[in-house]
Amino acid sequence: MRDGVPRQPDGGPDGGPDGGPIGGQDGGPEAEQGREPTTLDPLDSLDPRDTGLVIVVLAPHDPMTRGQLRRMAELARDHGHRLRWEEARGGPGAPLRTVAGLAGPLRRARRVVIGDPFSRYVQLLLPLTRARELVVVDDGTATMEFVSQLARGERLVRWHRRGSRGARDLAFAPVSASTRRRLTPNTRRSVTVFTAMPVEAPPGVDVVRNDFAWTRAAFGPPRLTRGTDLVGTSLVETGVVDPERYLAAVAGLARAYGATRYFAHRRESAEKLHRIGAGLGLEVVRPELPLELIARRGPIGRTVLSFPSTVVHTLPLALAGTGVTVAVCDIDPVWLTERASPRAEGFLSEVTDTASDVRRLPAMPLSAPSAVNTGHTPRATHPCG
C-alpha cells in the first residue's frame, strides 16, 4: 500500500486496467475466499495521527464486498483512523461474540456513525449505545427509502423486499421497532443523515449533503478515454429485473452507444458477468475500490452509462469538472419479475427523476441479440425512456 491506495492490477485479456481479471489475482475475490481474515485491532500499531475514530467493519460473506472493504480499511487506517474487523457472520456463535465485544465501546461512545440502518446486525447493536449523537452515513439509494420510512414511522425494510419472510421477521420486529425509535431525535439525542442522495429530512433530523469534495481533492483528475463505459447493477441478483431482459438491455446499450467496458457491481453473479464478457464481448471490470474512487483515478470513458442506481447521483459529483457525461437508462416496467416488490417501479423511477447533472437516454427499440445466446428473445421493448 502506498498513500493508502492499493496498486490496481495491470489490464490483460481477461481484465480491465482498473479492476483486474474476473478470476482474481493475489488479493482478488478467489484469494479472499481461501484466506484467514486479518484482525484489524483498534489498539494495535496506533498511528501518531490517530483521529480517535474507531471504524468497525461487520464483514459480509460476499468475497467482492469483502475485498473492497479490506482496501477501504487500509485507506482509512492510512488516514489515522483505527480499524476493527469483526467476523460477525462467521458461524453460529459469531453474532453473540460480536455484540459482547462491542457493547463496552458502544456504551462509552459520544457519537456513533452507522452505514446501513437496514442491517440486522446494526439494529442489534444500536440499542446498546447511549451516544447523544447518531449519524447515518450512506450514499446508496436505500437512504431515500430509509428517510421516507423514518418520516412515516414505518418499520425499516429494504425497498426491493416483497412482503414478510415469516417467523424470522416477526421475531425481529421488536428489535426493528427499537432501532426506529433510536433513530428518531429527541431532547437527549440528535440524529444526522450525511448523504449525496436527495432526501427531505423528517422533523428534527439534520441532513448534511456529501458533495464528494474529499474524493475530488484526494484523487485525480482522471485520464479520459474516447470510449463509453457501462456501469452494472445487482437488480437481477435481488430478484427485481429479469436476467434475459437485463442482458438484452446491456447488449442494446453497448451496440447503440459504443460501450466497451462493463464495471460490475460487487454483488453481480459470476455467471451473469461471464455471459456479458463472453457473449457480448464487453471487457468486464470488477473494481477493487468503490467506483467513485476508480473513476477519479481513471482512465474512465467520456460517457458513463448506468441504470437507475446510486452512481447516477454520486458520479456527477465525484467527476465534476472532468468533462465526463453520466447518462441513465430507465428500467422498463416489463423487465420486472413477478417477485419484484410492488414499490420497485416507482422507486426506480424516483432514483432517476431526482438525479441531477445526468442525461436521460432517448427511447429506442430493443430485442435480445443472438450474441447473448440465451435461447430466449423478449418481445420488443423500450429500455431507455
Side-chain angles (χ1 to χ4, degrees), residues 76-90:
R77 197 168 205 176
D78 200 65
H79 281 74
H81 307 310
R82 291 179 281 172
L83 270 295
R84 181 164 176 161
W85 185 278
E86 293 285 343
E87 291 293 345
R89 298 166 176 84

Side-chain angles (χ1 to χ4, degrees), residues 10 49 89 114 125 135 152 159 162 226 268 271 340-341 344 356 367:
D10 294 331
R49 297 170 297 167
R89 298 166 176 84
I114 63 176
L125 292 167
V135 183
R152 296 191 298 263
W159 67 268
R162 185 183 180 92
R226 295 182 178 180
E268 288 190 82
E271 178 187 0
S341 165
S356 58
S367 61

Side-chain angles (χ1 to χ4, degrees), residues 333-376:
V334 302
W335 300 1
L336 302 180
T337 68
E338 294 181 354
R339 296 182 294 126
S341 165
R343 296 177 295 170
E345 182 180 345
F347 182 79
L348 291 171
S349 296
E350 182 184 2
V351 171
T352 301
D353 293 341
T354 55
S356 58
D357 299 322
V358 298
R359 181 162 64 95
R360 299 286 288 267
L361 299 182
M364 65 181 210
L366 178 71
S367 61
S370 58
V372 178
N373 193 25
T374 63
H376 169 71

Side-chain angles (χ1 to χ4, degrees), residues 24-92:
Q25 297 176 351
D26 181 30
E30 293 181 353
E32 189 72 46
Q33 287 178 307
R35 189 170 61 199
E36 285 298 315
T38 301
T39 300
L40 301 174
D41 192 282
L43 302 181
D44 289 343
S45 304
L46 294 185
D47 192 292
R49 297 170 297 167
D50 178 28
T51 62
L53 174 65
V54 178
I55 299 177
V56 179
V57 180
L58 302 175
H61 291 301
D62 175 63
M64 284 304 301
T65 305
R66 288 173 68 91
Q68 283 195 5
L69 283 172
R70 287 190 184 280
R71 285 149 184 80
M72 289 303 295
E74 293 293 344
L75 176 60
R77 197 168 205 176
D78 200 65
H79 281 74
H81 307 310
R82 291 179 281 172
L83 270 295
R84 181 164 176 161
W85 185 278
E86 293 285 343
E87 291 293 345
R89 298 166 176 84

Side-chain angles (χ1 to χ4, degrees), residues 5 81 156 204 276 319 372:
V5 181
H81 307 310
L156 302 181
I276 290 172
L319 295 171
V372 178

Side-chain angles (χ1 to χ4, degrees), residues 135-136 138-139 191-197 199 201 205-211:
V135 183
V136 177
D138 191 357
D139 289 320
V191 177
T192 302
V193 176
F194 181 77
T195 184
M197 306 305 290
V199 296
V205 175
D206 294 324
V207 174
V208 178
R209 180 167 171 77
N210 178 17
D211 62 3

Side-chain angles (χ1 to χ4, degrees), residues 31-225:
E32 189 72 46
Q33 287 178 307
R35 189 170 61 199
E36 285 298 315
T38 301
T39 300
L40 301 174
D41 192 282
L43 302 181
D44 289 343
S45 304
L46 294 185
D47 192 292
R49 297 170 297 167
D50 178 28
T51 62
L53 174 65
V54 178
I55 299 177
V56 179
V57 180
L58 302 175
H61 291 301
D62 175 63
M64 284 304 301
T65 305
R66 288 173 68 91
Q68 283 195 5
L69 283 172
R70 287 190 184 280
R71 285 149 184 80
M72 289 303 295
E74 293 293 344
L75 176 60
R77 197 168 205 176
D78 200 65
H79 281 74
H81 307 310
R82 291 179 281 172
L83 270 295
R84 181 164 176 161
W85 185 278
E86 293 285 343
E87 291 293 345
R89 298 166 176 84
L96 290 178
R97 289 194 298 270
T98 298
V99 171
L102 295 175
L106 281 171
R107 289 193 184 98
R108 294 190 295 270
R110 177 178 59 85
R111 177 189 297 120
V112 171
V113 181
I114 63 176
D116 181 6
F118 292 108
S119 165
R120 286 184 168 175
Y121 282 93
V122 169
Q123 292 183 15
L124 280 172
L125 292 167
L126 200 55
L128 301 178
T129 183
R130 302 168 183 169
R132 297 185 63 84
E133 299 177 48
L134 294 180
V135 183
V136 177
V137 176
D138 191 357
D139 289 320
T141 53
T143 308
M144 300 166 66
E145 191 74 354
F146 161 69
V147 171
S148 297
Q149 291 174 4
L150 190 65
R152 296 191 298 263
E154 299 174 352
R155 69 187 184 98
L156 302 181
V157 58
R158 298 183 192 277
W159 67 268
H160 56 77
R161 286 188 54 188
R162 185 183 180 92
S164 173
R165 292 184 177 179
R168 187 179 179 185
D169 276 353
L170 292 176
F172 205 81
V175 177
S176 180
S178 175
T179 299
R180 188 176 65 250
R181 289 192 296 270
R182 288 275 176 169
L183 290 171
T184 301
N186 55 35
T187 56
R188 302 183 306 276
R189 181 174 56 250
S190 67
V191 177
T192 302
V193 176
F194 181 77
T195 184
M197 306 305 290
V199 296
E200 185 174 344
V205 175
D206 294 324
V207 174
V208 178
R209 180 167 171 77
N210 178 17
D211 62 3
F212 279 77
W214 179 88
T215 301
R216 293 195 302 272
F219 302 95
R223 178 174 66 85
L224 305 186
T225 69

